[in-house]
Amino acid sequence: MDMSFTDWVGYLGSFVLMVSFLMKNIITLRIINSAGCFLFVIYGFMLGVSWPVIITNAFILGVNIYYLTRKKTEKTTP
């Protein structure tokens, strides 16, 4: 199989995102989805700066981080 490293990063990102949607627990889903989004941000830069890929996945990564940190603070606050 003759694929570039960039292709591998893209396929890995796709796989991780697909797996994330199989999670029943929303926290686990957000953590795994964040890893996939991070891979896609890297992939977007490896493509020679593909802004649609970078912006979309950076936004989703930010939303995931927001809700993951919000959940932690809600649990620690009485």
Side-chain angles (χ1 to χ4, degrees):
M1 207 173 213
D2 190 27
M3 286 197 308
S4 69
F5 183 67
T6 301
D7 290 338
W8 280 108
V9 172
Y11 283 118
L12 180 61
S14 295
F15 177 75
V16 172
L17 282 178
M18 288 185 285
V19 168
S20 75
F21 289 110
L22 298 174
M23 302 297 113
K24 291 181 181 181
N25 182 305
I26 189 69
I27 293 172
T28 306
L29 182 149
R30 288 191 184 279
I31 291 168
I32 295 172
N33 190 273
S34 294
C37 288
F38 182 74
L39 286 168
F40 264 113
V41 169
I42 292 170
Y43 177 66
F45 281 109
M46 293 174 80
L47 287 175
V49 187
S50 176
W51 287 114
V53 173
I54 295 166
I55 291 168
T56 303
N57 286 283
F59 175 79
I60 296 168
L61 178 60
V63 169
N64 283 335
I65 291 169
Y66 170 78
Y67 281 110
L68 284 168
T69 57
R70 186 174 148 215
K71 291 279 185 193
K72 287 182 182 179
T73 57
E74 285 177 3
K75 287 183 179 180
T76 58
T77 307

